[in-house]
Amino acid sequence: MKISEITTPAYVIDEKKLKENLEILSYVQKESGAKILLAQKAFSAYKTYPMIGEYLSGATASGLYEARLAKEEMIEPLKGKRKIENHVFEPAFNDDEIKELCEICDHMVFNSLTQLEHHREVWEKNVKNGRLFVGLRINPEYSTQEGHEIYDPCASGSRLGIRNADLGDKLPKGVSGLHFHTLCEQGFEPLEKTFLEVESSFKRFFPTRKGEEGKIKWINLGGGHHITKEDYDREGLIKLVKRIKDTYGIEVYLEPGEAIALDAGLLVTTVMDIVKTEKYPVLILDTSAACHMPDVLEMPYRPPLRDSGEAGELANTYRLSSRTCLAGDIIGDYSFDKEIGIGDRLYFEDMAIYSMVKNNTFNGMPLPDIDIMHDDGEVEVLKRFGYDDFKMRL
């Protein structure tokens, strides 16, 4: 079916754009020698995992469920075809989950020395038999963000990562790598500056020759950098990764989430009603900021909307809202060349990332379908949700 025929609300993954992003990331891998992983916290539409696994080196998880998902939907389908890695980081690992994580993951990153030692008896066995590589997340204490402290792991009082002053002169026994993740929707320059800070402050852990005992054998530069964005300095990134590998002889990982599915999805919605107010007419949509795109309220964030402008920019301005009872469930004020009517469809763009993974059923709102638009423009329904999906969460 065509996109005009789908049931709304629906997330529609753009397969063509997803492939374009993956081809860019594959190029960066090939040219730099880095290994690039899918950060599932941003995009977990697992029906696309076999395709993603054909281009990238694996996935990274924020806990047991994501780690299981990567194993079942990316690693197993590609078994025998190519090596796919499974990485995991959590601020704290549950005692009941650590054993399974050690069995299904290749890399495990701890957020504190306390956690490292608390679980040593379990993970150390897997390190000794060569099944697992263990790392520490560090806090470079070098902030490159302004105005979004909620997304800044280097903000004052951050719980994410070990500060330089809290690490000794030597890596703890069994630890072979370092990990930092400090960026959010940023370009190459902040990453380069952050690595230079890490290279200087944590230099005692970097080898002076390849394979030097007691030094790191790999480093993960995290995600949050928009590698697939048109203006991203990819050649600069390639140059940096090559320098790290040439200088220290270590493996380099990148774990973008947004960059993989950037601009690769829509949220299609239908206008259900129009309410007159003393300011703007309000469009009541069958989608919701609170339920289907929470970043709109959390960041706050203004989602791009096809064929629209800022309030007052075009002839007809409307406030876009939802059929939930939350007064503040407002998506934003948008203008259009033409008048909008009941039954019209609107297309929110860049809706593959941090949407499906964060949505909820507040007010008993139905979850949107998950569709995929193939290269030929045909749309396939990947998943449809119903009453049981609401009920079983409660």
Side-chain angles (χ1 to χ4, degrees), residues 189-207:
E189 292 76 12
L191 174 66
E192 182 179 39
K193 290 178 180 178
T194 302
F195 176 74
L196 292 175
E197 181 70 22
V198 168
E199 186 178 36
S200 172
S201 300
F202 297 87
K203 193 170 185 65
R204 62 192 182 280
F205 303 122
F206 286 76

Side-chain angles (χ1 to χ4, degrees), residues 107-123:
H107 286 64
M108 177 174 287
V109 175
F110 288 94
N111 189 59
S112 71
L113 296 176
T114 305
Q115 274 280 297
L116 178 79
E117 297 305 327
H118 177 73
H119 294 294
R120 177 176 287 277
E121 185 178 347
V122 181
W123 64 256

Side-chain angles (χ1 to χ4, degrees), residues 43-253:
F43 182 72
S44 298
Y46 60 85
K47 293 292 182 68
T48 65
Y49 280 16
M51 180 176 70
I52 292 172
E54 294 284 357
Y55 290 89
L56 304 185
S57 296
T60 184
S62 302
L64 177 59
Y65 289 174
E66 284 185 355
R68 278 184 183 173
L69 194 66
K71 181 179 185 296
E72 293 171 2
E73 303 296 338
M74 187 182 295
I75 295 171
E76 292 298 334
L78 293 171
K79 199 170 185 179
K81 294 182 181 179
R82 58 187 310 231
K83 168 67 175 173
I84 300 291
E85 295 185 21
N86 202 5
H87 292 223
V88 65
F89 162 80
E90 245 187 304
F93 291 103
N94 191 305
D95 289 357
D96 295 333
E97 298 173 351
I98 191 74
K99 185 175 184 294
E100 183 178 354
L101 281 167
C102 287
E103 291 170 352
I104 66 176
C105 292
D106 304 288
H107 286 64
M108 177 174 287
V109 175
F110 288 94
N111 189 59
S112 71
L113 296 176
T114 305
Q115 274 280 297
L116 178 79
E117 297 305 327
H118 177 73
H119 294 294
R120 177 176 287 277
E121 185 178 347
V122 181
W123 64 256
E124 197 167 45
K125 298 173 187 175
N126 293 278
V127 168
K128 287 178 178 177
N129 66 25
R131 287 196 64 263
L132 183 70
F133 297 95
V134 165
L136 297 174
R137 177 166 176 167
I138 56 173
N139 178 357
E141 298 178 81
Y142 182 79
S143 180
T144 59
Q145 300 181 48
E146 291 182 10
H148 292 101
E149 189 169 304
I150 189 174
Y151 293 107
D152 185 2
C154 294
S156 177
S158 173
R159 64 187 166 86
L160 297 172
I162 306 167
R163 297 176 303 164
N164 191 19
D166 296 324
L167 280 172
D169 293 332
K170 296 180 179 179
L171 285 175
K173 183 183 176 183
V175 171
S176 59
L178 295 178
H179 172 284
F180 66 86
H181 178 97
T182 65
L183 306 186
C184 178
E185 299 182 348
Q186 290 171 279
F188 166 68
E189 292 76 12
L191 174 66
E192 182 179 39
K193 290 178 180 178
T194 302
F195 176 74
L196 292 175
E197 181 70 22
V198 168
E199 186 178 36
S200 172
S201 300
F202 297 87
K203 193 170 185 65
R204 62 192 182 280
F205 303 122
F206 286 76
T208 56
R209 63 182 184 280
K210 187 174 182 178
E212 183 180 357
E213 287 300 315
K215 307 295 183 180
I216 61 171
K217 294 178 174 58
W218 56 273
I219 189 167
N220 189 322
L221 308 184
H225 27 108
H226 277 177
I227 302 171
T228 53
K229 205 169 182 179
E230 190 174 343
D231 61 353
Y232 189 93
D233 182 8
R234 289 187 280 271
E235 297 308 315
L237 175 61
I238 290 168
K239 184 178 178 181
L240 174 64
V241 172
K242 290 175 77 170
R243 180 178 77 78
I244 296 171
K245 291 177 69 69
D246 292 343
T247 303
Y248 302 110
I250 59 178
E251 197 75 75
V252 178
Y253 290 93

Side-chain angles (χ1 to χ4, degrees), residues 348-361:
F348 290 101
E349 298 173 322
D350 198 18
M351 279 290 126
I353 51 178
Y354 290 111
S355 54
M356 292 168 266
V357 295
K358 296 181 77 170
N359 62 21
N360 62 80
T361 58

